Amino acid sequence: MSAREKPTGFSLEGLKVLVIGAQQGIGRSVAETCAAQGATLVLVDMEEPSGPARVIESRRETSIITKACDITDRARVEALATELDAEGLTPNAVALTAGVTRYNDWIDTDPEAWEADVDAIFDVNMRGPINIARAFLPRMQAAGWGRLVLVGSIAGRMGGVTSQPHYVASKGGVHAMTRLLASKYAGSGVLVNAVAPGPTRTQMTEGRDINDKGFPLGRLLEPDDIAWPITFLMSPASSGMVGVVLDVNGGIVFS
């Protein structure tokens, strides 16, 4: 797809969209919302997300490609990009929703366990986005049009609700990376933005004691609450959005 052929408005018709972290949670919802907007979909997770793909295919007249990829592995991410090129599926837009957290206290936890938490969080939440950006942004730049949407967090804004410092630092890093990449690539027609979700009903918050009664919205967010803003940021309708970290937190924080 050339820059002249891009669709208009809040539609993904004619766009190839790569959703990373599509097995569950926000990523799975993004796959659903992108399918609803007419995207040609490639879904990726640590293990091939064939289950979600088959469910979406049963609901819509679409065919979805699935791949397995560990985004912390630079060589594997580069191989994924090459595979998609060879299959005619070089993405016009990428949503990177994969992320991890750990809740062990950073002072009271055994130091070796805490260091393992740090390694896991920084590998997925920071090394992963860097690997994805290195592999896919130059391809979008060459095409003259593209979208990359990262997922930060309310934790990167104000420390979060139940977060530990290493998770907060990783998501603050995503926010900073979003702005740097946005400034570098916007001139070529490639727009980089992020969303910063508040507490959302996913596996990350399952079993956590989160008192939502004090939240302005009065509830935890649902994955769809985050998925639709991500889908918007991947569409041509977001043509003026550059380096935005879009707050989707139910009013807990205004920025």
Side-chain angles (χ1 to χ4, degrees):
M1 185 196 72
S2 72
R4 292 180 180 177
E5 295 169 336
K6 68 180 183 296
T8 58
F10 191 12
S11 169
L12 300 180
E13 292 282 350
L15 295 180
K16 301 179 184 73
V17 174
L18 171 61
V19 181
I20 301 169
Q23 182 67 40
Q24 59 192 8
I26 292 170
R28 183 166 183 159
S29 288
V30 170
E32 294 269 9
T33 53
C34 287
Q37 295 304 109
T40 298
L41 278 175
V42 179
L43 304 185
V44 170
D45 213 304
M46 285 285 289
E47 297 181 1
E48 241 183 280
S50 54
R54 303 296 85 84
V55 169
I56 295 170
E57 287 175 337
S58 72
R59 295 173 180 167
R60 304 185 183 278
E61 293 183 5
T62 187
S63 180
I64 297 173
I65 304 300
T66 59
K67 302 279 186 181
C69 183
D70 177 357
I71 63 170
T72 71
D73 183 336
R74 176 194 54 79
R76 181 64 193 103
V77 171
E78 291 172 354
L80 171 66
T82 301
E83 286 172 26
L84 295 180
D85 289 345
E87 295 169 18
L89 291 168
T90 305
N92 309 112
V94 177
L96 176 49
T97 70
V100 298
T101 191
R102 299 286 189 273
Y103 294 109
N104 294 324
D105 185 86
W106 69 302
I107 298 296
D108 295 335
T109 299
D110 174 78
E112 291 187 3
W114 180 76
E115 287 184 352
D117 289 349
V118 171
D119 289 343
I121 287 171
F122 283 7
D123 266 359
V124 176
N125 294 359
M126 296 204 68
R127 186 188 300 271
I130 291 170
N131 288 340
I132 294 299
R134 287 185 76 255
F136 290 101
L137 286 179
R139 288 169 162 81
M140 296 180 192
Q141 184 178 39
W145 196 94
R147 301 285 191 270
L148 172 62
V149 183
L150 303 177
V151 176
S153 172
I154 189 175
R157 292 287 198 201
M158 47 67 80
V161 177
T162 62
S163 301
Q164 293 293 324
H166 34 316
Y167 180 76
V168 172
S170 74
K171 289 304 185 177
V174 169
H175 296 182
M177 191 189 317
T178 297
R179 296 178 179 118
L180 180 145
L181 295 174
S183 65
K184 178 176 175 63
Y185 286 95
S188 65
V190 179
L191 306 184
V192 181
N193 294 290
V195 297
T200 305
R201 201 180 304 278
T202 66
Q203 282 198 336
M204 272 194 182
T205 57
E206 190 174 345
R208 301 297 297 169
D209 184 18
I210 299 174
N211 180 11
D212 57 17
K213 299 299 184 286
F215 299 169
L217 201 57
R219 63 173 176 84
L220 294 185
L221 296 167
E222 299 295 336
D224 271 4
D225 293 323
I226 317 301
W228 280 111
I230 290 173
T231 303
F232 163 73
L233 288 173
M234 288 194 291
S235 78
S238 67
S239 59
M241 310 285 275
V242 178
V244 169
V245 179
L246 188 63
D247 290 310
V248 190
N249 59 48
I252 299 171
V253 171
F254 301 109
S255 64

